[in-house]
Amino acid sequence: MLKVQYYPQKKPVFVDQLKMSLMDYRYQIPSKIEAEGAHELSGFNHQPTNDNDGLAHLVATPGDEAVFKISSEVPVECVFDLRIASARLGGVLIQLNGEIAHRFPEVSTGSNDAWMTFRSDPVIIPVGEHDLIIRSESEFRFNWLHISECLAPEI
């Protein structure tokens, strides 16, 4: 049972502890990650989603970034599925530790309410902890990211 102590004019003591533990959390891959589960956002805005799953999506404009902290216990080669809706044609970058891992050059679903899943080519993820960044080159809505089909890379 969680015990909460209240102090006048202050928030419950456990709130800061919870925020700190969530910021330190790293998604183990393979994993499906909701867009609103980003560790850091620069420019993205939250909206309730009209997609068939998830509670919220992120709305991007050019230059926006969402950072997800991930971890891999072994080196793997994975594919990234991004759930996107976009009325305008434009690009989406996936970066791993600041380096471009994959670029979707022409993402458009024809409407901001029409959701599609876009799949990357296989990406090698080294062992260890990484910052995975979704970077916008256009306007779009982003619901989730699925890192899957992780296999040992061919030598």
Side-chain angles (χ1 to χ4, degrees):
M1 183 168 147
L2 182 62
K3 189 174 185 179
V4 179
Q5 295 178 322
Y6 288 94
Y7 298 96
Q9 306 293 328
K10 292 188 177 182
K11 56 190 166 192
V13 173
F14 74 89
V15 172
D16 287 330
Q17 294 167 343
L18 179 61
K19 283 183 184 176
M20 188 60 102
S21 65
L22 290 176
M23 292 306 291
D24 291 338
Y25 177 78
R26 291 197 177 262
Y27 295 101
Q28 295 295 315
I29 56 174
S31 185
K32 181 178 178 186
I33 306 168
E34 296 293 331
E36 63 270 23
H39 290 84
E40 298 173 35
L41 292 175
S42 173
F44 277 96
N45 294 306
H46 290 84
Q47 281 187 350
T49 192
N50 61 350
D51 196 3
N52 57 11
D53 65 350
L55 298 174
H57 62 253
L58 299 178
V59 179
T61 56
D64 292 355
E65 292 185 348
V67 179
F68 301 88
K69 295 179 180 184
I70 63 171
S71 180
S72 180
E73 294 181 4
V74 296
V76 289
E77 187 174 63
C78 305
V79 294
F80 295 87
D81 293 321
L82 268 66
R83 187 73 170 169
I84 302 283
S86 177
R88 297 183 182 186
L89 190 63
V92 179
L93 292 176
I94 299 175
Q95 296 176 307
L96 192 62
N97 299 325
E99 299 293 323
I100 296 174
H102 187 82
R103 181 174 184 265
F104 296 98
E106 297 181 358
V107 173
S108 177
T109 64
S111 165
N112 288 332
D113 296 321
W115 292 91
M116 291 177 63
T117 304
F118 292 85
R119 176 165 275 204
S120 75
D121 295 330
V123 173
I124 294 177
I125 301 173
V127 66
E129 297 180 344
H130 309 284
D131 287 344
L132 177 71
I133 301 167
I134 305 299
R135 188 169 199 290
S136 170
E137 295 181 328
S138 61
E139 296 177 8
F140 62 87
R141 277 121 178 86
F142 168 41
N143 191 1
W144 49 256
L145 162 69
H146 189 200
I147 307 168
S148 65
E149 300 182 21
C150 297
L151 305 170
E154 292 184 23
I155 298 176

